[in-house]
Amino acid sequence: MSHQLPDVQASAPDVSVGLSQVGVTGVEKLVKLARGDKRPIVLMAEFEVFVDLPGGRKGIDMSRNLATVDEILEDITREEAYRVEDVCGDAAERLLEKHDYTTTAEVSMSAELVTREDTPASEIETQSTATIVASATATDAGTREEIGAEVTGMTVCPCSQGMSESRARDKLAELGVDDETTEEFLDAVPQPGHSQRGHATLTVTTDGHPDIDLRDLIDVARDSMSARIYNMAKRPDEDHMTYEAHADAKFVEDCVRALAEGTVEEFDHLPDDAVIHMKQSNDESIHQHNAHAEREVTMGDLRDELNAEH
């Protein structure tokens, strides 16, 4: 004979304090993204799923969270027609519907996106990797979705390069090279500076889903650093990357400002209340610490700041 199991989660807790996020992390699922007539992109995505919890309830219905994510992802693998941020948005909205005690539901995911590209000099086909990040927050007022990416590139320190240039200028003067020739040489041959592997992160959050192409967002992030890097590189490619990086030396702060400029140029159609998050972290090569800079700003304020320069 069956008997009714007690709903312990719905009972009152010993301490009546509400919680802003309760849920599950590390949920791995395959996600397929449609690409028209091309084969779909298959991602191994890791999800985090949270709802808020009132102070009068001991716990959430954990199985509902997992069941909702499974349901959404089963739909997406059949239809192959969702943006990754819409996956998060649909899951968050269904979580909100199924939990009558919660006011906010959040779903986030990350995945490695691998695409093919040609190396810059030898034009050999290779692969490029970017980390996709997406999230959504659903409330009774509506759903806000975020899409973004973290990419890796190369930066060169302008301060270090400036010291090398000063040394080169002094040596050329000792050798009797005239000033005009010296400046022409230094303009054509960028001097060494210590380099870093840089990590640029760019995300966009709007009501509904951001109307942007993820590939364009990745390009803006990759171009914000001194030079792009590639998984495969022949000697001509190494020479190309080294030259390009030293010809466009940037501080960590410069990279974030380049993200800002690139975002406004590429995504000027975004509404003023879209939230832009820009972050740059550089793995220093001659220090034991790393360099970091970031900015979160609305698109409207970012436009105003850049327009004020002109």
Side-chain angles (χ1 to χ4, degrees), residues 62-293:
M62 197 71 71
S63 61
R64 287 187 183 180
N65 291 36
L66 283 171
T68 299
V69 171
D70 281 338
E71 181 182 351
I72 292 292
L73 295 181
E74 284 300 319
D75 287 346
I76 201 173
T77 54
R78 283 193 296 267
E79 300 297 331
E80 298 178 359
Y82 285 83
R83 298 170 180 249
V84 285
E85 63 269 33
D86 287 343
V87 178
C88 296
D90 288 349
E93 290 169 0
R94 294 194 192 188
L95 279 170
L96 196 64
E97 292 174 0
K98 292 190 175 184
H99 293 74
D100 55 7
Y101 52 82
T102 191
T103 60
T104 304
E106 302 172 53
V107 176
S108 62
M109 64 146 282
S110 63
E112 296 299 308
L113 174 66
V114 179
T115 57
R116 294 192 177 277
E117 63 180 351
D118 292 337
T119 56
S122 59
E123 298 184 348
I124 296 175
E125 187 177 66
T126 184
Q127 294 182 348
S128 176
T129 305
T131 300
I132 300 172
V133 292
S135 68
T137 301
T139 66
D140 289 339
T143 302
R144 286 182 68 81
E145 294 182 0
E146 173 195 47
I147 184 63
E150 177 186 322
V151 301
T152 303
M154 179 180 177
T155 60
V156 171
C157 176
C159 182
S160 173
Q161 186 181 57
M163 291 185 285
S164 295
E165 186 174 292
S166 178
R167 181 189 297 271
R169 186 177 283 107
D170 291 344
K171 186 62 178 179
L172 288 169
E174 289 179 15
L175 294 172
V177 179
D178 63 86
D179 290 345
E180 183 179 350
T181 303
T182 293
E183 295 308 317
E184 184 178 350
F185 171 78
L186 292 176
D187 285 343
V189 184
Q191 295 304 290
H194 76 84
S195 61
Q196 307 110 338
R197 176 171 289 184
H199 309 277
T201 303
L202 176 62
T203 68
V204 178
T205 305
T206 63
D207 291 329
H209 68 75
D211 182 21
I212 59 176
D213 189 312
L214 179 59
R215 291 165 297 184
D216 293 337
L217 186 146
I218 290 172
D219 283 339
V220 169
R222 292 185 73 189
D223 289 337
S224 68
M225 292 173 276
S226 295
R228 293 189 177 199
I229 62 174
Y230 299 81
N231 285 339
M232 171 66 183
K234 294 289 189 179
R235 290 175 63 187
D237 303 309
E238 292 178 1
D239 178 64
H240 175 92
M241 286 184 280
T242 303
Y243 178 85
E244 290 297 320
H246 284 80
D248 191 19
K250 289 179 178 177
F251 290 121
V252 66
E253 301 93 335
D254 295 324
C255 295
V256 175
R257 293 178 175 121
L259 280 171
E261 187 174 46
T263 297
V264 170
E265 289 177 355
E266 186 67 38
F267 308 120
D268 192 48
H269 62 280
L270 287 172
D272 283 345
D273 63 353
V275 175
I276 314 300
H277 189 189
M278 303 163 289
K279 180 170 66 175
Q280 179 74 24
S281 295
N282 290 344
D283 301 335
E284 292 283 2
S285 59
I286 64 170
H287 305 295
Q288 292 187 340
H289 59 264
N290 295 324
H292 182 91

